[in-house]
Amino acid sequence: MKRILVTGSYGQIGTELVVALREKYGGENVIATGRKKPPEVLRRDGPYYRLDVLDTDQLHTMLVDYDIDIIIHNASVLSAVGEKNPQLAYRTNVEGSYNVLEATRILGLDQVMIPSSIAAFGPSTPKEDTPNDVIMRPTTAYGVSKVFIELWGEYYNLRYGVDFRSLRYPGIISAETLPGGGTTDYAVEIFYEALKNKRYTCFLAKDARLPMMYMPDCLKSTIDLIEADPEKLVHRSFNITAMSFTPEELAKEIKKHIPEFEVEYRPDFRQQIAESWPRSIDDSAAREEWGWQPDYDLSAMTEDMLKRLSKKLGVEY
Ligand code: SER
């Protein structure tokens, strides 16, 4: 059985990814790491440690001592926080990922997975059905760091045979852990506010269309790519998507379940970030090379989110 170490385990994706990996690979084989105190759900079924990826000694020691085969490097500063503190984004995203790729190369690990994002694209990228291989000139610190990760990972693959894999996640919607400082966070916050207050003030414009995905699809895509046959991979960094919607379309879908729900639009600096990203994504390379297919569209996601979140918050609707 492969042994996997996950960084950023206590974040929005990390928390649920560790749980899903432990179900599949066994609790003891999936090491959760991060810098915060782990949530209860990660303390039950397997090991967890404090790890700062900028500390290369600690990183190498942990990879050796726990006999790790695969590292999934989820620790990252997201787009909105990155614009407030670009230097922090550089250190965490660029230096952190460099350390992880170097550790993979030096220690000869089987595989390294580092997420990329739709943020790796920029204003000069075609915005509709954005292809996998296309011009990428992002204008955010986060986006620039993701292009570095993709290119350095692909370079290590060519140069040293490092088995690097990456997914360009769209906005991820989930009920378990809140996202931490991104531009697509509105698509999670809106559900909490709809259930708790029946009102939401959106920080993006009502027509800001962005590619999105529900957490079960995010977990499926991640695990499918880790397990994909390397012989079949032509690419190493993949577009993936499940749906695209605007804040207004999402609000309309929620209103089908909560008719009193009202949304006000007050775009802030994140609107400009959203405008620099694709509105929809062509993920045919992922479909062809490793069989990617999403399960949730806008209406299925909305229904399930409301069900899960209302249970968690103890609110009827
Ligand atoms: N969800 C991320 C963000 O908004 C995009 O990868 O920053």
Side-chain angles (χ1 to χ4, degrees), residues 123-138:
S124 50
T125 304
K127 291 213 184 308
E128 301 291 348
D129 287 328
T130 303
N132 209 86
D133 305 316
V134 72
I135 189 164
M136 299 170 87
R137 297 192 61 79

Side-chain angles (χ1 to χ4, degrees), residues 89-154:
Y90 176 82
R91 282 183 60 73
T92 306
N93 299 2
V94 177
E95 289 182 12
S97 300
Y98 172 80
N99 289 348
V100 166
L101 283 162
E102 266 293 87
T104 306
R105 176 184 76 82
I106 292 166
L107 300 174
L109 305 192
D110 288 356
Q111 194 191 123
V112 56
M113 156 83 91
I114 312 183
S116 183
S117 161
I118 50 166
F121 299 113
S124 50
T125 304
K127 291 213 184 308
E128 301 291 348
D129 287 328
T130 303
N132 209 86
D133 305 316
V134 72
I135 189 164
M136 299 170 87
R137 297 192 61 79
T139 47
T140 60
Y142 175 65
V144 172
S145 75
K146 289 299 183 189
V147 172
F148 167 81
I149 288 165
E150 289 188 19
L151 295 183
W152 199 254
E154 288 175 18

Side-chain angles (χ1 to χ4, degrees), residues 211-225:
M212 298 277 178
M213 179 178 282
Y214 193 34
M215 184 58 89
D217 279 331
C218 172
L219 301 177
K220 182 170 90 158
S221 67
T222 308
I223 294 173
D224 283 358
L225 181 58

Side-chain angles (χ1 to χ4, degrees), residues 59-268:
L59 176 64
H60 285 228
T61 303
M62 203 164 261
L63 293 170
V64 172
D65 287 0
Y66 293 95
D67 200 13
I68 298 300
D69 302 299
I70 300 174
I71 179 162
I72 303 178
H73 179 42
N74 269 0
S76 179
V77 167
L78 295 186
S79 60
V81 175
E83 286 320 285
K84 294 220 158 113
N85 192 344
Q87 291 71 28
L88 177 70
Y90 176 82
R91 282 183 60 73
T92 306
N93 299 2
V94 177
E95 289 182 12
S97 300
Y98 172 80
N99 289 348
V100 166
L101 283 162
E102 266 293 87
T104 306
R105 176 184 76 82
I106 292 166
L107 300 174
L109 305 192
D110 288 356
Q111 194 191 123
V112 56
M113 156 83 91
I114 312 183
S116 183
S117 161
I118 50 166
F121 299 113
S124 50
T125 304
K127 291 213 184 308
E128 301 291 348
D129 287 328
T130 303
N132 209 86
D133 305 316
V134 72
I135 189 164
M136 299 170 87
R137 297 192 61 79
T139 47
T140 60
Y142 175 65
V144 172
S145 75
K146 289 299 183 189
V147 172
F148 167 81
I149 288 165
E150 289 188 19
L151 295 183
W152 199 254
E154 288 175 18
Y155 173 70
Y156 270 29
N157 176 252
L158 285 174
R159 175 80 195 260
Y160 303 112
V162 166
D163 190 348
F164 164 79
R165 304 178 186 199
S166 183
L167 286 168
R168 294 179 187 137
Y169 291 133
I172 305 295
I173 299 149
S174 66
E176 175 77 29
T177 307
L178 282 165
T183 300
T184 55
D185 294 13
Y186 92 84
V188 179
E189 288 171 12
I190 194 170
F191 284 98
Y192 282 80
E193 295 307 312
L195 284 166
K196 286 197 294 195
N197 303 320
K198 315 232 180 303
R199 297 194 64 80
Y200 178 59
T201 304
C202 184
F203 59 75
L204 293 186
K206 62 180 173 187
D207 60 351
R209 183 178 302 283
L210 288 169
M212 298 277 178
M213 179 178 282
Y214 193 34
M215 184 58 89
D217 279 331
C218 172
L219 301 177
K220 182 170 90 158
S221 67
T222 308
I223 294 173
D224 283 358
L225 181 58
I226 291 168
E227 294 181 345
D229 178 356
E231 298 291 312
K232 299 217 169 96
L233 300 183
V234 180
H235 295 86
R236 288 280 156 178
S237 306
F238 291 92
N239 282 0
I240 41 159
T241 191
M243 59 189 102
S244 270
F245 56 73
T246 64
E248 194 174 36
E249 286 164 356
L250 177 56
K252 205 169 144 201
E253 195 61 38
I254 294 173
K255 264 170 172 280
K256 288 184 188 164
H257 304 266
I258 308 174
E260 324 85 277
F261 181 46
E262 291 295 336
V263 181
E264 201 187 321
Y265 298 92
R266 274 198 227 143
D268 67 12

